[in-house]
């Protein structure tokens, strides 16, 4: 007889019983000060926070929106919410006026918001002027713009060096231990999509989905139970959720963001990886180059020579440009991952040698995954031909929260998921992802996928990173615009003409239009989402502003 499916709560309990003193999470800050939570402590603190929620009569049916940064407080409150039987909802603010945050609170019908009142332009700053009533002692609130909201639970993360963790110290005084027996099929989390294509969506998942994702992520990572895994992705995002820890007991190493993120973050991150002897790391493609720069600048030979066993990277195209900065320098093997909040981990490509790497290839599909590539009529296309990628997955999320229209459009009635990604399968069944339909550039009668042009620009000497988008053009509908960051030394004298000349040599124009960018803009950095991905909509808006396009031309910039 097979054992019953585990839930998040039963897994926390099992891990604590199996090896209670094994570190579950190691938080390290910019001073390399560390705070370790053992498996037993995670289980005990989660039950104690559940008791705090219960005294507020919160539990099943309640949605608790958590806006805390990556920190011990975030881990315990997230697990504590689920342990109380409530739903843990990720809260994130991408816009200064907070309209996305308020929309998500109403979409998720949040009962509680957990926040840090000291964060500048954070959740409290958005909510406070909108509160009709607020009792700081009890946290009770009424908010006409968010009618479901009943409580604010405020915890200040910032601390002086050498001081203790007041949140954990307060839980040490808590006598009650509470946990709700939840079914693996019960919705336990509302995850956020990355928001790179529009305002982020809330995605409902249950314990079964999270455990399936954890197993697939662990397999793609090549993780072992005794490993230290460094991952700084936000804990409320699926790629940052501690799923591998739950299924394997792997120790998660996280940068402690209690005091914010320092200017020398990449240097701190690599120092932490070396100090904690991490075996694995999950990093966005954009961060790989900066991590290697931090490694090369170190005066410590041990830091310069340290190598991870594997680095997983995804959330955007991993190119030869990124491989050159990481393979053999940061790690002995790269693992290119194609995944989404809706589908989980779809495919993985292990790369040991540069000569074996092909740009856009993401490897073979994971167990429990089926992939089709179809044309606009929904018919399968031949091997090697580009089309829309459709996915079936045992890790599939349940639905978009209170958004039946988007749910029906993405989660098809026949079981296939449509994300709008474009790619192709080769004769060995390996998947390549070349772009997203939403970001395709329509120049005259020709559709151009920006990743192809970006890959060419990255090969230009002196280029650190490149982004290509379409900007409004009255004659051709859209023109190509490249935004480029320079390498500090090699790219100091790089000009727009250098970029265009390089593209002219590397890119084959169509018979109708040129795919060489008309505009080249040099920037210090690119806009990124909270998950570290390139924010393509924000970057496009920035490009239009820098080009001083008329408001009438850019009115539909967000309608790509």
């Amino acid at each position: 007889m097979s054992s019953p499916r585990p839930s998040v709560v039963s897994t926390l309990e099992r891990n604590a019983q199996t090896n209670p003193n094994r570190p579950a999470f190691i938080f390290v800050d910019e001073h390399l000060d560390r705070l370790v939570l053992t498996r037993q402590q995670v289980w005990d603190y989660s039950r104690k926070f559940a008791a705090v929620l219960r005294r507020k009569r919160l539990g099943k049916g309640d949605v608790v929106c958590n806006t805390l940064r990556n920190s011990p407080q975030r881990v315990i409150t997230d697990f504590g919410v689920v342990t109380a039987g409530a739903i843990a909802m990720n809260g994130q603010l991408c816009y200064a006026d907070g309209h996305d945050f308020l929309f998500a609170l109403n979409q998720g019908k949040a009962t509680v918001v957990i926040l840090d009142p000291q964060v500048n332009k954070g959740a409290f700053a958005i909510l406070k002027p909108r509160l009709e009533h607020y009792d700081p002692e009890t946290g009770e609130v009424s908010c006409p713009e968010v009618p479901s909201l009943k409580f604010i639970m405020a915890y200040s993360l910032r601390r002086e060096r050498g001081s203790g963790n007041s949140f954990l110290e307060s839980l040490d005084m808590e006598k009650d231990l509470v946990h709700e027996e939840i079914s693996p099929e019960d919705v336990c989390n509302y995850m956020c999509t990355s928001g790179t294509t529009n305002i982020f969506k809330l995605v409902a998942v249950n314990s079964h989905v999270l455990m399936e994702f954890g197993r697939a992520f662990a397999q793609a990572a090549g993780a072992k139970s005794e490993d230290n895994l460094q991952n700084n992705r936000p804990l409320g995002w699926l790629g940052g959720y501690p799923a591998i820890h739950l299924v394997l007991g792997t120790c998660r190493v996280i940068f402690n963001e209690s005091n914010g993120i320092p200017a020398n973050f990449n240097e701190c991150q690599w120092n932490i990886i070396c100090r904690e002897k991490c075996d694995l790391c999950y990093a966005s493609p954009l961060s790989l180059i900066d991590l290697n720069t931090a490694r090369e600048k170190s005066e410590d030979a041990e830091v310069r020579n340290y190598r991870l066993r594997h680095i997983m990277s995804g959330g955007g195209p991993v190119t030869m440009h990124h491989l050159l900065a990481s393979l053999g320098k940061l790690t002995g093997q790269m693992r290119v991952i194609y995944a989404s909040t809706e589908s989980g981990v779809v495919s993985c490509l292990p790369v040991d040698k540069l000569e074996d790497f092909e740009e856009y290839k993401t490897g073979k599909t994971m167990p429990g995954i089926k992939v089709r590539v179809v044309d606009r009529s929904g018919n399968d296309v031949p091997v090697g031909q580009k089309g829309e990628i459709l996915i079936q997955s045992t890790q599939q999320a349940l639905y978009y929260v209170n958004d039946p229209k988007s749910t029906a459009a993405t989660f098809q009635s026949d079981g296939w998921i449509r994300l709008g990604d474009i790619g192709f399968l080769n004769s060995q069944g390996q998947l390549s992802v070349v772009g997203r339909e939403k970001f395709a550039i329509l120049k005259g009668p020709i559709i151009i996928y920006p990743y192809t042009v970006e890959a060419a620009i990255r090969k230009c000497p002196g280029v650190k990173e490149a982004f290509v988008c379409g900007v409004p053009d009255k004659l051709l509908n859209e023109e190509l615009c490249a935004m480029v960051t320079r390498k500090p030394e090699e790219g100091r004298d790089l000009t727009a003409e250098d970029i265009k000349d390089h593209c002219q040599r590397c890119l084959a124009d169509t018979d109708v239009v040129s795919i060489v960018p008309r505009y080249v803009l040099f920037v210090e950095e690119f806009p990124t989402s909270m998950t570290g991905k390139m924010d393509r909509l924000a970057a496009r808006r920035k490009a239009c502003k820098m080009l001083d396009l008329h408001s009438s031309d850019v009115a539909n910039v967000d309608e790509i």
Side-chain angles (χ1 to χ4, degrees):
M1 182 177 177
S2 61
S3 59
R5 289 176 173 176
S7 69
V8 169
V9 176
S10 66
T11 302
L12 289 172
E13 181 178 23
R14 181 204 65 199
N15 286 348
Q17 292 171 345
T18 304
N19 195 341
N21 296 320
R22 162 111 167 109
F25 296 90
I26 300 175
F27 290 90
V28 189
D29 65 16
E30 65 272 26
H31 304 295
L32 299 184
D33 293 337
R34 63 204 301 264
L35 187 152
V36 179
L37 292 175
T38 67
R39 294 181 180 184
Q40 187 67 54
Q41 286 175 315
V42 171
W43 176 231
D44 288 345
Y45 282 137
S46 297
R47 289 183 292 165
K48 289 184 175 188
F49 188 72
V52 173
L53 294 174
R54 281 296 179 83
R55 277 199 291 276
K56 295 182 180 292
R57 299 180 180 177
L58 298 168
K60 281 203 170 185
D62 289 302
V63 177
V64 181
C65 177
N66 200 339
T67 69
L68 298 181
R69 298 184 296 264
N70 281 3
S71 58
Q73 291 91 323
R74 178 63 192 248
V75 166
I76 298 305
T77 51
D78 268 353
F79 280 148
V81 168
V82 176
T83 302
I87 296 172
M89 167 182 159
N90 186 46
Q92 59 190 46
L93 291 81
C94 299
Y95 294 91
D97 65 0
H99 73 270
D100 55 335
F101 176 57
L102 296 169
F103 176 82
L105 290 178
N106 283 305
Q107 195 82 354
K109 301 187 185 306
T111 313
V112 184
V113 174
I114 300 175
L115 53 78
D116 181 349
Q118 293 187 333
V119 173
N120 185 36
K121 298 180 180 179
F124 193 64
I126 297 299
L127 289 172
K128 188 176 180 181
R130 294 172 167 84
L131 297 178
E132 192 174 74
H133 166 73
Y134 174 46
D135 184 339
E137 293 296 320
T138 64
E140 292 184 42
V141 299
S142 62
C143 181
E145 291 188 42
V146 188
S148 61
L149 191 61
K150 297 178 182 177
F151 291 98
I152 285 177
M153 300 180 73
Y155 300 104
S156 178
L157 300 188
R158 184 167 291 278
R159 65 184 186 86
E160 297 298 323
R161 189 177 185 189
S163 63
N165 187 300
S166 58
F167 171 76
L168 297 181
E169 289 168 357
S170 69
L171 289 183
D172 284 332
M173 304 298 292
E174 175 63 53
K175 302 300 181 185
D176 293 333
L177 298 169
V178 169
H179 76 275
E180 180 77 25
E181 297 292 343
I182 67 170
S183 164
E185 311 306 324
D186 290 340
V187 174
C188 58
N189 285 78
Y190 290 166
M191 299 290 182
C192 287
T193 59
S194 59
T196 51
T197 59
N198 210 320
I199 284 183
F200 60 84
K201 294 182 178 70
L202 295 175
V203 183
V205 297
N206 57 25
S207 292
H208 173 65
V209 170
L210 291 174
M211 295 301 169
E212 287 292 310
F213 168 72
R215 280 186 276 273
F217 200 7
Q219 183 175 343
K224 305 173 185 176
S225 60
E226 64 270 20
D227 284 337
N228 279 2
L229 165 64
Q230 199 274 344
N231 183 354
N232 286 327
R233 301 302 91 200
L235 287 156
W237 175 58
L238 189 63
Y241 185 80
I244 294 180
H245 164 70
L246 287 175
V247 299
L248 285 185
T250 299
C251 177
R252 172 80 171 269
V253 179
I254 312 178
F255 182 81
N256 190 345
E257 298 178 15
S258 292
N259 290 343
I261 298 177
N264 64 336
F265 173 69
N266 290 297
E267 179 184 340
C268 291
Q269 186 178 0
W270 187 251
N271 284 334
I272 290 167
I273 286 171
C274 300
R275 171 175 169 160
E276 298 298 333
K277 306 296 182 188
C278 293
D279 306 280
L280 312 171
C281 172
Y282 182 59
S284 69
L286 286 173
S287 67
L288 292 172
I289 297 169
D290 291 329
L291 274 178
N292 188 50
T293 299
R295 180 193 66 82
E296 289 177 338
K297 285 183 176 179
S298 177
E299 297 179 0
D300 187 327
E302 185 176 349
V303 171
R304 286 198 309 275
N305 295 327
Y306 191 81
R307 300 291 181 272
L308 290 145
R309 188 172 79 244
H310 300 152
I311 292 180
M312 299 82 71
S313 191
V318 180
T319 67
M320 184 63 76
H321 192 60
H322 302 121
L323 263 290
L324 287 169
S326 52
L327 193 60
K329 297 176 181 177
L330 304 175
T331 181
Q333 185 183 84
M334 284 293 301
R335 298 211 166 191
V336 180
I337 293 174
Y338 172 49
S340 74
T341 310
E342 294 88 344
S343 65
V345 183
V346 176
S347 58
C348 176
L349 177 70
V351 182
D352 299 290
K353 301 176 183 177
L354 288 173
E355 53 266 31
D356 295 338
F357 178 68
E358 292 181 33
E359 293 190 334
Y360 311 120
K361 185 183 287 186
T362 63
K364 291 196 172 182
T365 55
M366 304 298 296
I369 296 287
K370 293 181 181 178
V371 165
R372 294 173 61 204
V373 181
V374 301
D375 60 21
R376 291 182 183 273
S377 299
N379 301 313
D380 292 308
V381 301
V383 168
Q385 183 174 319
K386 293 176 185 176
E388 183 180 1
I389 299 168
L390 303 184
I391 303 161
Q392 281 187 350
S393 171
T394 55
Q395 312 159 51
Q396 178 175 319
L398 305 177
Y399 51 81
Y400 293 124
V401 178
N402 294 316
D403 189 352
K405 184 178 179 180
S406 296
T407 297
T410 299
F411 301 97
Q412 306 284 285
S413 58
D414 58 4
W416 293 95
I417 305 170
R418 295 187 64 177
L419 299 173
D421 288 336
I422 304 300
F424 61 90
L425 288 164
N426 67 12
S427 57
Q428 286 78 46
Q430 293 181 310
L431 179 66
S432 293
V433 183
V434 300
R436 177 159 285 189
E437 188 70 33
K438 191 172 182 110
F439 297 129
I441 301 165
L442 183 61
K443 183 174 179 179
I446 301 299
I447 294 174
I448 302 166
Y449 293 105
Y451 295 159
T452 303
V453 187
E454 290 167 358
I457 295 174
R458 290 188 188 103
K459 295 175 182 177
C460 179
V463 170
K464 179 181 177 183
E465 189 55 271
F467 161 78
V468 172
C469 65
V471 294
D473 183 88
K474 291 180 179 178
L475 180 63
L476 295 170
N477 186 59
E478 287 186 295
E479 258 294 358
L480 273 70
C481 174
M483 300 177 74
V484 176
T485 55
R486 298 179 175 101
K487 290 182 179 178
E489 297 297 330
E490 187 182 352
R492 186 168 47 194
D493 299 323
L494 191 66
T495 67
E497 289 305 313
D498 293 334
I499 300 291
K500 292 180 181 181
D501 290 345
H502 173 81
C503 289
Q504 198 72 55
R505 293 191 297 271
C506 295
L507 293 170
D509 287 343
T510 69
D511 293 335
V512 183
V513 297
S514 170
I515 61 173
V516 173
R518 177 179 176 183
Y519 306 105
V520 176
L521 304 173
F522 291 101
V523 295
E524 293 297 319
E525 60 184 8
F526 298 111
T528 57
S529 69
M530 292 184 67
T531 61
K533 293 183 182 180
M534 166 77 73
D535 188 334
R536 289 184 172 267
L537 289 182
R540 186 174 192 251
R541 286 193 295 268
K542 183 175 181 177
C544 290
K545 185 176 180 179
M546 292 176 69
L547 291 169
D548 197 26
L549 293 174
H550 297 296
S551 58
S552 59
D553 292 329
V554 299
N556 66 344
V557 161
D558 289 337
E559 306 299 326
I560 305 175

